[in-house]
Amino acid sequence: MSGVRVLLLYPRFAQASFWRNLELARLKGARCMAPPLGLITVAALLPAHWEARLCDLNARPLDPADLAWADVVFVSGMLPQRQEALAAVAAMKAAGKVVVVGGPDVSSSPEAYEAADFRVLGEAEATLSAFVAAWERGERSGLIAAPDERPDVTRTPVPRFDLLHLPDYLFVGVQFSRGCPFTCEFCDIIELYGRVPRTKTTEQMLAELDALYALGYRGHVDFVDDNLIGNKKAVKAFLPHLIAWQHAHGHPFHFSTEASLNLADDPALLDQMAAAGFYLVFVGIESPDPEVLRSTQKKQNTRRDIAASVHRIYAAGIVVIAGFIVGFDNEAPDAADAMAELIEEAAIPVVSLGLLYALPDTQLSRRLEREGRMFPLREEDFRNGDQTSAGLNFATLEPRVDVLRRYREVYARVYAPRAFFGRIRRLSELVGRQEGAVKSPEPPPPPTPIDIRQLVADLGRLFGVLATVTWRHPRTAVHVWPVVLRGMKRLDRLEQLLSLALFYMHLGPFSRKVVRDISQQMAEIEAGAWVDPRAAQPTQTPLRAAE
């Protein structure tokens, strides 16, 4: 049987994105943040006689030779990539290629991708075999949807990490579980992947780490799970094996992940994660107001003191970065003050602060549709990479300008240089300080031995980065140097603290842009120039623009 040549094409992310921290990536010698784990997993699921090549447009332009080589082009992406994805579909079809679109955005909004030849909806483990069968029958278009039953991820193969040019990326992702047990109204994860977390086996995960290790990769690995602790029993069974693997291989990786705030309630789990090499966790906090949290069905955050919970995670040696949202229906007039004060009290260094955005096919978007409050999709939904200046895609219950004013105030306060770097300096005194932490009943793991030669090499590399920052960003370097000097007392944390400080190379300018954009929106409203998108007739939709 003849082989099929597949070009896996990953579209660019929008320029204006909180998470698209190209300055940090470039300071550390990378081209972009992270590779497309979904596409390289799809590549591993292809039949053995099919060939695959990857083009990540966030890292490198498309090589015309790769396009000429391909029989079929797979395009996959998320909502912030939609405009670029549609442009890629149009360009690939113009080049005479059959185009297959899959991934989370087409699964949520299949109608937006009618220009593609094939639309594959749902998780690849449940759909790719049906596509392959259709292709080998000679079909060159169609709609393939996953069955209602979620696929068994214990059958997912090791992703094709060999397709990546690893130096292009600041970090690499792996996945242990899919799904989340909670019911947050605004979240699309439970719609795409379900409320029963499905986990891979220990053997699978160690095989993925073995593959990365064999390719020579060392450094930051992100567990991209929707909620790593969604199935605590499974992750607790896996972590001892991860600890042993790290020890046997000389601790080549340090890990980050996403988890719910109830992680702070489990000292044994925190100890395991720290011993395994987890140093960073993203937590969705959303709001300090218990009434807001209850209304949006994030009740898990109402059952604990948020700042104290964050400090317990710090005490275990793990840094917390967090997500907050402005724009809920029952938000208090003083919400900006309460949010900024919580961020300062908890000393959360990096905060993803978004305007509420009703993602397609979520409980929130369905409710707003019923209430007649949803806006049609707009160009700005795709020009921006997240819910900063493109949020509030619905009619607010209170004056829109008041919500925007609160948002602008929090952004300006949280990312003022003195506040941002002050939180990092405080963090240096909190992380890994076990005083006040809930003690685990299990004995502490043995300390990791210090490799002096590696330490000297790391320090040389870090101070090289610092010299570059001082030369290129002297105004910001004034704030970075005190962080580094304080970090000299904590050599085990120095790289971590410097990396957090370097986030400001992107977040400082980005926050100022957000404040300007929000101020402009407010001025338009106050001048009577803003028009409710439900009443406006757009002259061009994103789909028409891409075509």
Side-chain angles (χ1 to χ4, degrees), residues 15-293:
Q15 291 289 337
S17 170
F18 179 92
W19 293 111
R20 196 167 184 258
N21 194 338
L22 296 183
E23 185 63 21
L24 177 60
R26 288 165 182 162
L27 281 169
K28 294 198 168 188
R31 290 173 178 259
C32 58
M33 298 297 283
L37 181 60
L39 276 177
I40 60 173
T41 301
V42 167
L45 287 161
L46 291 171
H49 63 284
W50 288 39
E51 299 177 70
R53 293 182 185 177
L54 173 71
C55 175
D56 180 354
L57 293 173
N58 297 281
R60 295 173 182 270
L62 175 60
D63 186 337
D66 288 339
L67 180 58
W69 167 86
D71 297 317
V72 59
V73 179
F74 286 12
V75 178
S76 177
M78 297 180 285
L79 179 62
Q81 296 166 280
R82 182 182 295 184
Q83 206 168 39
E84 293 287 339
L86 291 169
V89 169
M92 296 301 100
K93 290 195 69 175
K97 302 299 179 180
V98 177
V99 181
V100 181
V101 177
D105 192 37
V106 68
S107 296
S108 295
S109 304
E111 70 286 350
Y113 289 89
E114 291 177 347
D117 297 295
F118 280 96
R119 289 172 291 167
V120 182
L121 315 182
E123 297 171 65
E125 292 89 345
T127 55
L128 196 62
S129 60
F131 164 75
V132 168
W135 180 275
E136 295 190 339
R137 286 194 302 267
E139 297 175 23
R140 293 299 178 263
S141 64
L143 175 68
I144 296 172
D148 291 337
E149 184 179 353
R150 304 285 178 184
D152 180 1
V153 297
T154 64
R155 301 174 64 183
T156 303
V158 174
R160 288 285 307 277
F161 295 115
D162 59 294
L163 295 178
L164 303 174
H165 186 252
L166 289 166
D168 285 348
Y169 300 103
L170 190 62
F171 58 86
V172 177
V174 296
Q175 185 181 60
F176 173 64
S177 68
R178 286 185 207 160
C180 179
F182 298 114
T183 59
C184 305
E185 184 189 39
F186 53 84
C187 184
D188 63 348
I189 292 301
I190 54 177
E191 309 293 341
L192 290 166
Y193 305 120
R195 289 193 55 219
V196 179
R198 292 159 287 143
T199 63
K200 294 179 181 176
T201 66
T202 293
E203 291 74 19
Q204 281 176 287
M205 291 312 305
L206 298 186
E208 293 189 18
L209 298 179
D210 284 338
L212 280 171
Y213 186 86
L215 288 169
Y217 183 76
R218 305 291 185 271
H220 183 180
V221 174
D222 183 43
F223 276 73
V224 303
D225 299 45
D226 312 309
N227 183 354
L228 181 71
I229 66 167
N231 184 334
K232 277 191 176 184
K233 181 178 179 181
V235 78
K236 283 184 171 183
F238 164 61
L239 285 171
H241 299 279
L242 180 58
I243 293 167
W245 187 95
Q246 284 270 73
H247 184 71
H249 291 78
H251 300 268
F253 302 138
H254 50 274
F255 303 116
S256 60
T257 193
E258 182 171 344
S260 44
L261 190 60
N262 58 314
L263 171 64
D265 303 342
D266 194 326
L269 178 54
L270 281 169
D271 285 350
Q272 280 187 309
M273 288 179 62
F278 283 88
Y279 79 103
L280 185 74
V281 61
F282 179 90
V283 175
I285 293 175
E286 323 312 353
S287 173
D289 186 338
E291 291 306 314
V292 167
L293 292 170

